[in-house]
Amino acid sequence: GAVVSQHPSWVICKSGTSVKIECRSLDFQATTMFWYRQFPKQSLMLMATSNEGSKATYEQGVEKDKFLINHASLTLSTLTVTSAHPEDSSFYICSASKGVNEKLFFGSGTQLSVL
Amino acid sequence: GENVEQHPSTLSVQEGDSAVIKCTYSDSASNYFPWYKQELGKRPQLIIDIRSNVGEKKDQRIAVTLNKTAKHFSLHITETQPEDSAVYFCAARANNLFFGTGTRLTVIP
């Protein structure tokens, strides 16, 4: 199978600070990675599609200046939650696939708590 | 974009009974339909998937059916076990993957 690593697994931060979450494909190259957000007892909501070497594509309602995505290499995408506030507290999960029509593999998720 | 609806939101069955979860999708261009099992605080785990050129797929106690005309697909779990208890998500993909709202399955020993 394919392994997607996500760090950190949990983070607690003060309101107003920025938090960076990393997503790595360990044994394959991922041209595209996806970032999801999941509130307690709710579904996974697609936030954005991260494309290597180009700008991310954001879903409607997701602030691109709030959630900065960088996909600098074929194995690494980062999500930075800027000026985090308590309402940003959530479970963030990345995913990646080997190709356009390939299965998605998920990272282990990051639980963000903003105080 | 794609809209995926999932029912029921909660499902309780006795151990050994079958469980069925149903999903509908809106985008006729969707061609890939995976099902994920997620335990609390963990990543979604792919349990079975089906592509639009297939009507049914089975893997041991788990099966998925797809009706492209009606735009709905279903997950069937037979001989349920307590360890099957989790939240199950269906998903549909044309370009991006969109998830259903989830079903919390509880298998009562």
Side-chain angles (χ1 to χ4, degrees), chain A residues 16 20 23-25 27-28 32 34 36 59 62-63 87 97:
Chain A
K20 179 185 283 189
C23 181
R24 295 180 185 271
S25 55
D27 53 359
F28 67 99
T32 304
F34 304 89
Y36 290 84
E59 293 300 305
V62 178
E63 299 176 59
E87 56 266 29
S97 66

Side-chain angles (χ1 to χ4, degrees), chain B residues 91-102:
Chain B
R93 181 178 75 190
N95 294 310
N96 295 322
L97 192 67
F98 290 91
F99 284 80
T101 47

Side-chain angles (χ1 to χ4, degrees), chain B residues 44-64:
Chain B
Q45 298 281 0
L46 179 68
I47 57 172
I48 196 168
D49 57 7
I50 192 168
R51 298 189 184 271
S52 59
N53 59 345
V54 176
E56 184 174 355
K57 184 177 178 180
K58 187 174 182 180
D59 181 6
Q60 299 182 336
R61 297 188 296 109
I62 297 173
V64 57

Side-chain angles (χ1 to χ4, degrees), chain A residues 68-83:
Chain A
L68 299 179
I69 292 174
N70 184 278
H71 196 152
S73 75
L74 286 172
T75 59
L76 173 64
S77 175
T78 61
L79 169 68
T80 301
V81 183
T82 62
S83 187

Side-chain angles (χ1 to χ4, degrees), chain B residues 34-82:
Chain B
W35 286 87
Y36 292 89
K37 176 182 180 182
Q38 186 181 30
E39 298 178 1
L40 187 64
K42 302 282 184 66
R43 76 185 82 193
Q45 298 281 0
L46 179 68
I47 57 172
I48 196 168
D49 57 7
I50 192 168
R51 298 189 184 271
S52 59
N53 59 345
V54 176
E56 184 174 355
K57 184 177 178 180
K58 187 174 182 180
D59 181 6
Q60 299 182 336
R61 297 188 296 109
I62 297 173
V64 57
T65 59
L66 170 65
N67 184 327
K68 283 182 59 180
T69 303
K71 296 198 190 74
H72 66 69
F73 55 114
S74 301
L75 177 72
H76 303 252
I77 306 175
T78 59
E79 301 173 33
T80 54
Q81 302 167 2

